Amino acid sequence: MNEQREVSRGGDGVPDVFVERRHGDRRRGQPRSADHGGPDRRRGDRRVCVSAGVVLAVASLTASTSPDRAYVDVRVPTMSALDAPNVPAVIPEEPIAASLRPSLNSKFDVHIEEAATRHGVSRELVRAIIQVESGFDRLAVSSAGGRGLMQLMPATARRFGVLNRFDARQNIFGGTRYLRVLLDHYQGDISLTAAAYNAGASCVARYHGIPPYKQTQEYVRKVTTILGAALKEAAAREGRGGAQS
């Protein structure tokens, strides 16, 4: 237990400890005892210095901690800690050139294949939506409230039975089912489907087409460009396979 001692001062404004030392110097041959505040006070001073050094070291380490590193440590991939994660939003206005090529990420392909087959949606369309929405990050969060790979909103998740939006399989099946509903509503029109997925069907209806929002227009352009490139690559692969057989 550290005790803080107050150093009293004499009448001349000199701390008592120094007055005692002067008197002690006059007493030749008499050793200074512990009650004069000598060894004990010095030991106490060392303890105070050590404690202050520890505090300064901890403060220095805390100040030097990188926010990015702290942010990585916070994002623990456990479902119990993901009720309200505080992570940056997915920004669709990223540099276009970086996202126009179809992603090669195949981590969730088994779920995408199953969901696309079950709901009759193009596998390439599902992948394009995931790429633009989250970049294949199952823990992605948007400031608008979207969560997971296909950035499902709370109402959409409830509508399609998604209990955990951060579960990759649930999120993909719910998002793909929603795409099926939109494709049916817009009679297979990919641009209107993508616009409604981004801005909402009511917004598309209000403007009788793609809304005049830069974000939505860029979103539609990204999705359709990635989808077109993916379909072209798939056709080329099938052509090469047919030629080899």
Side-chain angles (χ1 to χ4, degrees):
M1 178 176 179
N2 293 327
E3 295 180 358
Q4 297 181 358
R5 299 181 180 179
E6 180 180 357
V7 179
S8 61
R9 295 179 178 270
D12 56 357
V14 180
D16 289 345
V17 62
F18 296 118
V19 174
E20 290 171 2
R21 286 179 183 174
R22 286 205 299 266
H23 292 318
D25 290 340
R26 296 195 188 105
R27 301 190 190 99
R28 296 178 181 178
Q30 296 182 6
R32 293 171 60 197
S33 59
D35 60 341
H36 287 166
D40 284 348
R41 188 174 296 278
R42 286 198 296 273
R43 283 197 296 269
D45 290 343
R46 283 198 295 271
R47 286 196 295 269
V48 171
C49 290
V50 171
S51 300
V54 172
V55 171
L56 289 174
V58 172
S60 176
L61 288 174
T62 304
S64 64
T65 301
S66 168
D68 292 338
R69 183 53 182 258
Y71 162 75
V72 170
D73 292 339
V74 168
R75 290 189 66 192
V76 180
T78 58
M79 292 302 103
S80 61
L82 289 173
D83 293 335
N86 183 19
V87 297
V90 178
I91 304 175
E93 294 89 349
E94 296 173 341
I96 293 290
S99 58
L100 289 183
R101 294 180 60 84
S103 172
L104 299 177
N105 190 317
S106 60
K107 185 176 181 179
F108 306 106
D109 273 358
V110 61
H111 304 315
I112 294 172
E113 291 281 0
E114 254 188 85
T117 300
R118 177 177 298 183
H119 298 296
V121 177
S122 165
R123 169 186 179 272
E124 286 76 17
L125 175 58
V126 177
R127 286 183 59 83
I129 293 290
I130 292 175
Q131 183 173 339
V132 177
E133 287 286 349
S134 68
F136 289 86
D137 179 4
R138 74 176 184 87
L139 301 179
V141 176
S142 77
S143 57
R147 299 286 189 272
L149 289 166
M150 300 188 74
Q151 290 292 279
L152 299 183
M153 298 294 285
T156 305
R158 288 192 298 270
R159 178 181 177 186
F160 296 109
V162 177
L163 301 178
N164 185 350
R165 289 180 287 166
F166 291 105
D167 181 272
R169 183 178 179 82
Q170 289 187 42
N171 191 288
I172 290 171
F173 269 76
T176 303
R177 188 177 172 192
Y178 183 37
L179 283 175
R180 179 70 268 163
V181 171
L182 293 175
L183 285 167
D184 290 343
H185 182 72
Y186 296 111
Q187 300 179 351
D189 189 308
I190 300 298
S191 294
L192 292 180
T193 295
Y197 195 96
N198 176 257
S202 60
C203 193
V204 173
R206 184 185 308 127
Y207 290 100
H208 305 286
I210 300 174
Y213 305 144
K214 180 181 177 181
Q215 181 187 32
T216 301
Q217 292 174 353
E218 292 291 348
Y219 180 90
V220 172
R221 187 162 79 88
K222 286 181 179 182
V223 169
T224 55
T225 302
I226 293 171
L227 175 60
L231 291 174
K232 187 180 295 185
E233 289 181 8
R237 286 195 300 269
E238 290 179 5
R240 287 194 298 269
Q244 290 175 359
S245 61

